[in-house]
Amino acid sequence: MQKNDSLFFSVYFSVFSVPLWLVLFMRSEMDHFEYRERKLHCEHVSIDELARTYGTPLYVYSEATLVHHLGQIQKAFAEADPLICYSIKANGNLGIARVMAEHGSGFDVTSGGELYRALAAGGVGSKIVFAGVGKTDDEIRYALENDVYLFDVESEEELHNLGKVAATLGKVAQAALRVNPDLPPKTHAKTDTSVKGVKFGLDIETVMDVARGVLGHANLKVLGLHMHLGSPILDPKPYREGSAKAVTLIEQLRKQGHDIQVLNMGGGFGIHYRKQEAAPASAFAEVILPAVRETKCRLVLEPGRFIVGNAGILVSRVLYRKESGGKRFLIQDAAMNDLIRPTLYGSFHRIWPVAPAEGLPAPPEDYEADIPGTSPIEVVGPICESGDFLAQNRRLPPLQRGDLLATFSAGAYGMSMSSNYNSRPRAAEVLVTGTGHRLIRRRETFDDLVRAELEV
Ligand code: LLP
């Protein structure tokens, strides 16, 4: 698809002469999962073939989509030459993280384990930022030994402890103060990190006092200001408000004597879950770049979902159908242990058959519309909880035992939040590149389930 781009463009323009903006819009939304001859493909590989090769449930990722979305951010923010730190919590598979490192990304980590992954994937300390409210001394030491670029510090006590641990190693820790800018709610309450009363960051009115307390500290350099507003955020406006508050704080911190060089605006950019609903990277750049120009800071961004969310789907197979209590149920082999977002946050993921039979409707553009040929059904998994569902009251075409389903936009916080609940081995993960595909995580076995236990 990518290879033929220039040919595609010239043919397209000469034949159809469609306005440039429309083509560019289509290009910017591209995710490399598309139906060809009624069969879902990832890049040039049929999903049906992948399911037969690797089994289900199966996470399938598109490398071209990963690179495309990273590129969208790199391009939109190019003026600032930002340090983009892929937020590895969104999807930490080494195969994916390696693609990020190879394309110039750094990493945002939030635990020693994530730092380990980032380094194993080829990340270097000078391009790693470390956030999180509860960094242990061991994790801080591990990060200092690997010369991480920035610690995003979330409390006064943590800041002083960071200085203490750095002193024991004879190092100077570079810190960005994470501030909670106290903005109105903008996403699900469980993932909104910039409203008053959440555990993240320093209350905005306390930042100057906390900063004063470490002026001249021999082992701490307060180098930046950090903000992560929440996730996912569809509307760029809160970034305008947040970054305006950051500009004021940076001026005050500089007056106080801190050499502030970095503005870290975190991640959180929304993606397409229901329909083409996400703002492009350029819309976020438009509201963030003015703060970079004004402060002349180096910009750090920590996108996770924007890069990997639309780059992955979860493929499952229908096991049974049943009716009970006046509802229809579609029982398939992916469960809340594979993708917990629907039951944890009430999240919506598009779901559609991998190979819709002749006469069945095409995948809808808008899942909120009434789709002819479909009827409502509960899409559930095998786990022993009533909360085990991928979708509720979802309109789907008729399906049969053995049919494959694709759950879209599952690349971020799908596998990374998976578990072994009900002693279900975790799904396999496969990365597609053009016409090729390779397993980047094998399906777990029953032996894997008990591997860490001591009385087997
Ligand atoms: N930076 C920090 C400090 C964060 O806490 C996060 C996400 C990110 C960056 C990356 O945010 P992103 O660009 O991926 O939106 N499990 C939830 C999302 C939790 C997000 C946690 N922090 C979900 O499935 O929606």
Side-chain angles (χ1 to χ4, degrees):
M1 210 178 306
Q2 294 257 294
K3 274 185 276 165
N4 299 324
D5 275 354
S6 45
L7 179 67
F8 166 80
F9 269 85
S10 40
V11 172
Y12 206 85
F13 278 114
S14 53
V15 178
F16 299 108
S17 68
V18 161
L20 177 64
W21 65 266
L22 181 58
V23 176
L24 292 178
F25 177 76
M26 286 157 54
R27 294 272 309 149
S28 74
E29 307 308 335
M30 192 159 62
D31 71 9
H32 296 274
F33 290 94
E34 64 179 32
Y35 285 86
R36 276 179 237 134
E37 290 163 12
R38 289 202 324 277
K39 280 201 154 76
L40 182 61
H41 286 71
C42 175
E43 302 194 19
H44 295 291
V45 180
S46 114
I47 297 298
D48 183 65
E49 178 193 330
L50 292 175
R52 271 186 276 118
T53 309
Y54 301 111
T56 55
L58 177 70
Y59 274 101
V60 179
Y61 306 104
S62 151
E63 179 165 345
T65 310
L66 288 172
V67 173
H68 175 70
H69 284 106
L70 174 64
Q72 292 285 99
I73 298 182
Q74 285 166 332
K75 206 166 87 196
F77 288 90
E79 168 197 323
D81 189 19
L83 172 61
I84 296 170
C85 293
Y86 168 63
S87 194
I88 202 164
K89 65 176 76 68
N91 190 319
N93 187 293
L94 292 180
I96 285 172
R98 210 162 276 143
V99 172
M100 289 295 106
E102 280 165 11
H103 286 82
S105 182
F107 292 95
D108 156 46
V109 304
T110 201
S111 69
E114 286 192 350
L115 176 55
Y116 176 83
R117 278 188 184 278
L119 295 169
V124 287
S126 59
K127 286 168 122 183
I128 293 176
V129 297
F130 188 1
V133 295
K135 305 174 190 81
T136 66
D137 289 6
D138 282 346
E139 288 175 321
I140 292 171
R141 261 191 296 276
Y142 181 33
L144 284 168
E145 280 158 4
N146 283 284
D147 296 318
V148 305
Y149 177 51
L150 271 188
F151 290 84
D152 293 326
V153 174
E154 311 232 9
S155 67
E156 184 168 21
E157 202 159 16
E158 181 200 337
L159 185 62
H160 287 277
N161 188 48
L162 176 62
K164 235 164 73 189
V165 177
T168 63
L169 296 178
K171 295 222 172 204
V172 178
Q174 302 198 131
L177 300 180
R178 177 169 179 177
V179 56
N180 175 347
D182 187 11
L183 300 174
K186 58 207 82 58
T187 187
H188 194 282
K190 284 185 180 145
T191 57
D192 197 328
T193 52
S194 57
V195 284
K196 216 177 194 66
V198 297
K199 68 177 177 178
F200 296 101
L202 299 159
D203 280 344
I204 191 156
E205 55 280 3
T206 67
V207 172
M208 296 312 297
D209 279 348
V210 171
R212 189 174 300 111
V214 293
L215 260 177
H217 194 298
N219 302 92
L220 272 182
K221 190 166 157 62
V222 176
L223 193 72
L225 199 75
H226 176 227
M227 240 178 228
H228 169 71
L229 303 184
S231 168
I233 299 176
L234 287 171
D235 177 9
K237 200 169 128 234
Y239 289 88
R240 187 195 299 280
E241 292 160 5
S243 56
K245 292 193 179 197
V247 170
T248 310
L249 270 177
I250 288 170
E251 277 165 13
Q252 290 172 354
L253 287 166
R254 283 175 175 164
K255 276 200 195 115
Q256 199 182 61
H258 291 287
D259 180 18
I260 303 295
Q261 301 167 21
V262 180
L263 170 61
N264 180 349
M265 285 303 294
F269 305 164
I271 62 163
H272 309 309
Y273 280 115
R274 287 172 187 270
K275 51 187 170 186
Q276 302 281 307
E277 60 199 319
S282 56
F284 293 98
E286 203 180 307
V287 293
I288 292 174
L289 285 175
V292 180
R293 288 183 204 122
E294 203 167 333
T295 57
K296 302 202 166 23
C297 276
R298 179 182 197 196
L299 177 66
V300 175
L301 294 169
E302 305 170 342
R305 189 189 315 262
F306 189 88
I307 292 172
V308 71
N310 289 137
I313 64 169
L314 173 60
V315 183
S316 59
R317 203 176 276 284
V318 175
L319 295 171
Y320 304 107
R321 296 158 300 170
K322 69 183 260 185
E323 286 187 25
S324 89
K327 285 185 176 174
R328 296 166 61 235
F329 290 87
L330 188 70
I331 302 157
Q332 41 78 68
D333 62 5
M336 64 188 275
N337 76 299
D338 301 302
L339 182 64
I340 201 171
R341 303 191 70 258
T343 191
L344 190 57
Y345 310 118
S347 308
F348 184 102
H349 287 261
R350 298 182 317 283
I351 298 180
W352 205 251
V354 163
E358 191 139 13
L360 290 185
E365 302 253 308
D366 182 351
Y367 278 69
E368 276 154 15
D370 192 7
I371 312 155
T374 65
S375 47
I377 198 159
E378 311 294 307
V379 183
V380 303
I383 278 183
C384 297
E385 296 214 18
S386 299
D388 177 28
F389 57 82
L390 297 185
Q392 291 179 300
N393 197 26
R394 180 65 59 86
R395 298 197 73 92
L396 280 176
L399 285 152
Q400 297 179 20
R401 196 169 142 69
D403 284 348
L404 290 169
L405 283 181
T407 299
F408 292 89
S409 306
Y413 307 106
M415 189 64 178
S416 66
M417 293 178 79
S418 67
S419 77
N420 290 124
Y421 187 41
N422 274 203
S423 282
R424 283 169 53 87
R426 278 189 183 77
E429 294 177 288
V430 61
L431 182 62
V432 173
T433 309
T435 53
H437 50 89
R438 65 178 196 278
L439 204 54
I440 53 171
R441 192 179 209 272
R442 64 163 172 78
R443 185 172 303 287
E444 285 180 354
T445 63
F446 292 159
D447 279 347
D448 290 329
L449 296 177
V450 294
R451 183 142 296 155
E453 292 172 31
L454 300 176
E455 302 203 355
V456 280

